[in-house]
Amino acid sequence: MPQPASATVRSHVRIPLTFPDGYHADAEVFTFHGLSDGAEHLALALGEVPEGGTPLVRLHSECLTGDVFGSDRCDCGPQLRESVERISETGGYLLYLRQEGRGIGLYNKLDAYALQDSGLDTYDANTALGLPEDGRDYTAAAQMLAALGHTGIDLLSNNPDKAAQLAGLGITVRHRVPTGVHLSASNVRYLRAKVERTGHSIELSRLVG
């Protein structure tokens, strides 16, 4: 895979974060020039990376329904909350990527939800709409990390495709660290599909029969 063109830091600003459960964190939020897809992705620097240490990084795809409205149809909101705390403890970055619905967009994601209600899983619903199962490209994420001076990371993710894409884009993933299992009655089919269809490292077997 060819290496992406360089991006540069455009600006940075401190934003104090408070989550609905009362958890607080301080973030230094970075914006960028020259990202490959032209989208307004953000990097949130959290905690302090020890001298000579490796940053913990989460590539979090935007999910309006889960991140903002607390939808139980996915595990995105709880993963976002967990990631901010874990990265703050060890030092690193949360890359907030504008890739709603695994890259298919908000309206298409909601259309896919309607198809899931008729029995399709999250991947087959996308393809039934003539869309990719997962349309995300992590070139911009690799550019952001390089612009921040990091080409070696620990990746906070259950998704093997994220690690594989980053490795092909010149980012060394030292360890892939799984997130917790954020299970609800409304997302169990969604989580099972991620395990069975795309090899996500989610320990469902001990929680769901």
Side-chain angles (χ1 to χ4, degrees):
M1 183 181 296
Q3 300 306 298
S6 296
T8 57
V9 171
R10 172 184 174 274
S11 67
H12 60 95
V13 63
R14 177 185 171 275
I15 299 180
L17 309 177
T18 302
F19 287 82
D21 63 358
Y23 175 75
H24 298 276
D26 284 323
E28 190 79 9
V29 180
F30 290 83
T31 66
F32 299 87
H33 285 302
L35 297 179
S36 61
D37 56 9
E40 293 184 329
H41 306 300
L42 302 174
L44 281 67
L46 299 159
E48 296 289 336
V49 180
E51 185 69 28
T54 301
L56 181 63
V57 174
R58 167 77 181 163
L59 273 56
H60 188 90
S61 296
E62 178 181 45
C63 177
L64 179 72
T65 51
D67 297 342
V68 177
F69 297 117
S71 168
D72 282 337
R73 292 191 68 136
C74 62
D75 57 347
C76 301
Q79 280 190 327
L80 178 64
R81 163 65 178 82
E82 175 194 3
S83 298
V84 168
E85 183 169 2
R86 291 179 67 178
I87 297 169
S88 295
E89 290 171 350
T90 62
Y93 299 90
L94 186 140
L95 305 190
Y96 197 80
L97 305 174
R98 314 303 295 276
Q99 300 172 327
E100 184 76 48
R102 296 199 304 273
I104 67 172
L106 179 59
Y107 280 15
N108 285 329
K109 182 179 81 170
L110 296 176
D111 291 344
Y113 278 175
L115 292 176
Q116 291 169 41
D117 288 342
S118 70
L120 297 184
D121 73 21
T122 180
Y123 299 103
D124 288 337
N126 282 14
T127 57
L129 292 170
L131 300 166
E133 288 185 354
D134 189 333
R136 290 175 293 183
D137 179 293
Y138 298 109
T139 301
Q143 290 177 299
M144 293 160 75
L145 290 169
L148 293 166
H150 298 285
T151 56
I153 66 168
D154 291 336
L155 182 65
L156 183 60
S157 177
N158 302 321
N159 185 352
D161 182 55
K162 290 181 179 179
Q165 284 202 40
L166 287 177
L169 292 162
I171 303 296
T172 299
V173 177
R174 189 184 67 162
H175 299 298
R176 183 161 63 88
V177 182
T179 71
V181 181
H182 303 287
L183 181 68
S184 73
S186 299
N187 72 18
V188 62
R189 288 180 60 238
Y190 166 81
L191 296 181
R192 182 178 284 120
K194 292 207 291 187
V195 172
E196 295 176 352
R197 296 288 299 271
T198 51
H200 281 57
S201 53
I202 303 171
E203 292 291 334
L204 276 183
S205 58
R206 61 185 174 83
L207 299 174
V208 179

